[in-house]
Amino acid sequence: MARAATTADAFNAVAEPLRRDILDALADTERSVGEVVDLLGLGQPQASKHLRVLREVGLVDVRDEGRRRLYRTNAHALRPIHEWVSRYEQQWNERFDAVDTVLEELKESES
């Protein structure tokens, strides 16, 4: 089975744990590559590579400020991922409710 191109698919881009860490680091504030490197303990080439992938799929925006490039999460681009995951939220809640019911029944039978 052929792998989907990472640079063309937001789902593939966020499948990489380091990219999710970078998105988390950029969620609340803009950061330069150097700040991402320091925060996550990555090497500069590694951070740049993952930021490039995130930028190419639109999950990260970049702007130049003087000689620095500042990155930030593009929350709007994360919406398709959120919507897809949300489809399963009701199923998960129903399953958790079923587990809660079984646990309550077990607790009552033991007392």
Side-chain angles (χ1 to χ4, degrees):
M1 179 179 219
R3 284 181 74 179
T6 301
T7 57
D9 186 313
F11 287 89
N12 269 349
V14 298
E16 165 61 49
L18 284 176
R19 291 187 197 130
R20 292 193 304 271
D21 291 344
I22 291 171
L23 288 172
D24 288 343
L26 301 173
D28 297 326
T29 188
E30 292 181 315
R31 294 183 194 275
S32 67
V33 174
E35 292 169 327
V36 171
V37 165
D38 291 342
L39 185 67
L40 300 177
L42 303 173
Q44 174 118 13
Q46 186 182 28
S48 293
K49 179 188 105 182
H50 289 302
L51 283 166
R52 179 182 49 77
V53 171
L54 292 169
R55 191 182 71 233
E56 288 176 357
V57 297
L59 294 176
V60 166
D61 291 327
V62 62
R63 72 177 181 90
D64 294 326
E65 184 179 87
R67 296 177 59 179
R68 295 181 351 145
R69 301 197 87 192
L70 297 173
Y71 296 85
R72 69 171 179 255
T73 300
N74 177 1
H76 181 74
L78 290 168
R79 187 173 195 85
I81 295 170
H82 171 74
E83 289 173 351
W84 184 82
V85 170
S86 293
R87 286 189 233 162
Y88 299 96
E89 185 175 3
Q90 183 177 356
Q91 289 179 359
W92 295 337
N93 286 335
E94 289 172 1
R95 290 179 183 176
F96 288 136
D97 289 345
V99 169
D100 285 344
T101 300
V102 169
L103 290 173
E104 285 296 322
E105 289 172 358
L106 287 172
K107 194 183 287 183
E108 288 177 16
S109 69
E110 290 177 358
S111 56

